[in-house]
Amino acid sequence: MFTTTQVGSWPRSRELLGALREKNKGRMSPQAFNAVADGETRRCVQHQLDAGMDVIVDGEQRRDNFYSFVTDKLDGTKLMSLADMLDTLEDKAGFEEMLDTLDVPASAIRNPTCVGRLARRQPLAVDELRFVQQLTDKPVKVALPGPYLLTRSMWVGAYTRKAYSDKLELGQEVVRILREELQELAAAGCSFVQFDEPVLTEVVLSEECDRRTFM
Amino acid sequence: MRTGVHICRGNWSRKEEVLLTGDYAPLLDFFESIKVDQMVLEYATPRAGDIAVVAKALASREIGLGVVNPRTSTAESVAAIVEQVEAALAYFRPTQVFLNPDCGFGCFANRCVNDELTAVAKITNIAAASRILREKHG
């Protein structure tokens, strides 16, 4: 009872952000980046053990953000900053103004844009799970982007229409991928899988409160 | 293996006025229809509304109760967390209630909403509150 855990992500150190930038620019190998992230994850896990948390997370230290990271694992995706995406939009000025109002820096937030048929090159989060399992015997929680968030963010018409006829077709593919992942996480001994759907509130609240999101 | 869905109102800025606001009432049909064990919900901000709103829809589920705001610089006190959880016990059994922050401390790598020291202080108080709650209600 009163089990304690986290939603998933943990602050990133300056060192990790430097490594992430180098990796994204192709100047650091994924292996070298992971070596840095291993150290950061160890510290994050130790903080949770010291605090006495029950269900441990990896702090998403390997992830650019909680949904864009799938570009590391899925064929048919491309990591694009919101600034990169602006050029494809019909109402570029309107989107820029919205980002400004929302306090979102277009260059700092990146999106997993679907640019071709999706295929799972490797599991999305089994590597994260296995690493934390090496550090503790406590149960481990893994967060995955939910199917609605992932479909909605991945769909950027100018790129995605070449591969999928509409959002529904893309969504069915996303669900298939997440289902496979769920089964593999279960088989690998994951204790808790949480699907993140932060923009569901936008669907139902946006009109009422006159605020929105950029995802 | 337990499955859950996390819903929030945005976690990219510390400016509360740009994040979404409103309770979970419009999502209750969705809560009742999905086959997961737990809903992981923001409840440390007044923008999330009242806990009573979700009580009926989650009667046979767990609730991952958000008890600290990941975007503030001061850790919520252990007493305040205990008080918030005890208020939820009007609607949920102790075994249904998980304690967690409202969202992550750094959902976007280069747009983290907090620093590590504050995050440590917040989770330390969550764990301390849980120990007190287990003593009192176990």
Side-chain angles (χ1 to χ4, degrees):
Chain A
M1 67 178 73
F2 305 118
T3 305
T4 57
T5 189
Q6 291 194 70
V7 174
S9 61
W10 189 253
R12 310 300 198 280
S13 71
R14 194 171 293 223
E15 188 196 359
L16 184 74
L17 288 178
L20 180 64
R21 193 168 53 239
E22 292 301 296
K23 186 191 79 155
N24 284 343
K25 291 195 167 160
R27 295 196 294 241
M28 181 183 266
S29 70
Q31 293 76 11
F33 172 79
N34 268 327
V36 176
D38 283 353
E40 302 291 310
T41 305
R42 276 199 183 90
R43 196 178 66 250
C44 172
V45 167
Q46 193 58 51
H47 279 309
Q48 296 169 75
L49 297 175
D50 292 345
M53 299 296 277
D54 301 313
V55 181
I56 306 301
V57 298
D58 90 323
E60 303 183 9
Q61 298 293 302
R62 297 168 210 283
R63 301 185 180 187
D64 169 68
N65 73 43
F66 64 105
Y67 56 108
S68 69
F69 80 97
V70 301
T71 55
D72 288 337
K73 319 280 179 149
L74 297 178
D75 287 336
T77 61
K78 188 171 188 294
L79 189 67
M80 296 176 78
S81 73
L82 297 184
D84 296 335
M85 287 161 57
L86 276 174
D87 291 333
T88 71
L89 300 174
E90 278 177 30
D91 183 16
K92 183 176 171 180
F95 193 71
E96 267 185 308
E97 192 184 318
M98 186 268 286
L99 292 177
D100 196 47
T101 308
L102 288 179
D103 190 30
V104 175
S107 57
I109 304 283
R110 284 175 286 266
N111 188 66
T113 302
C114 173
V115 296
R117 298 293 292 188
L118 300 181
R120 224 167 44 127
R121 199 162 51 236
Q122 50 179 296
L124 299 174
V126 172
D127 56 338
E128 296 175 346
L129 170 71
R130 291 229 163 95
F131 187 74
V132 180
Q133 285 172 330
Q134 290 172 27
L135 305 177
T136 178
D137 291 332
K138 286 192 167 185
V140 180
K141 176 180 183 179
V142 167
L144 293 173
Y148 178 72
L149 167 71
L150 209 46
T151 305
R152 175 167 149 158
S153 59
M154 283 183 140
W155 181 272
V156 179
Y159 297 97
T160 314
R161 260 188 217 101
K162 286 175 239 164
Y164 293 97
S165 57
D166 55 25
K167 281 186 192 167
L168 183 63
E169 192 195 0
L170 175 65
Q172 285 164 342
E173 193 87 322
V174 165
V175 168
R176 182 182 60 76
I177 286 168
L178 290 175
R179 202 184 283 276
E180 284 174 15
E181 184 73 23
L182 193 59
Q183 285 163 347
E184 287 187 28
L185 286 167
C190 190
S191 162
F192 189 166
V193 174
Q194 166 191 291
F195 291 98
D196 293 329
E197 288 290 10
V199 290
L200 280 184
T201 46
E202 184 188 37
V203 179
V204 295
L205 298 176
S206 216
E207 205 172 329
E208 206 174 319
C209 73
D210 199 28
R211 298 179 194 175
R212 54 161 302 178
T213 82
F214 54 87
M215 287 174 269
Chain B
M1 186 176 69
R2 175 181 272 108
T3 55
V5 168
H6 167 60
I7 290 175
C8 70
R9 291 161 186 72
N11 193 37
W12 65 84
S13 171
R14 290 185 137 208
K15 296 182 180 171
E16 289 287 308
E17 70 277 11
V18 304
L19 304 175
L20 293 157
T21 184
D23 66 28
Y24 296 98
L27 288 169
L28 294 181
D29 287 346
F30 167 71
F31 285 12
E32 291 191 33
S33 70
I34 58 170
K35 295 177 193 163
V36 296
D37 305 301
Q38 183 175 130
M39 294 301 300
V40 181
L41 301 177
E42 280 188 312
Y43 262 116
T45 167
R47 288 183 292 101
D50 198 277
I51 185 83
V53 170
V54 302
K56 186 163 161 283
L58 300 186
S60 58
R61 311 280 174 91
E62 294 168 347
I63 180 168
L65 188 65
V67 291
V68 303
N69 183 333
R71 296 172 300 279
T72 56
S73 299
T74 311
E76 289 76 358
S77 71
V78 174
I81 297 170
V82 168
E83 188 184 348
Q84 186 193 342
V85 174
E86 287 186 329
L89 293 181
Y91 308 98
F92 296 97
R93 297 181 304 279
T95 49
Q96 281 179 286
V97 181
F98 276 46
L99 278 59
N100 44 253
D102 266 4
C103 197
F105 291 102
C107 300
F108 302 90
N110 39 14
R111 191 72 170 165
C112 289
V113 292
N114 227 317
D115 58 78
E116 187 162 287
L117 272 179
T118 310
V120 167
K122 284 178 183 260
I123 65 166
T124 299
N125 285 1
I126 289 177
S130 168
R131 288 191 289 271
I132 291 171
L133 287 159
R134 283 173 201 173
E135 287 239 326
K136 281 177 78 174
H137 302 277

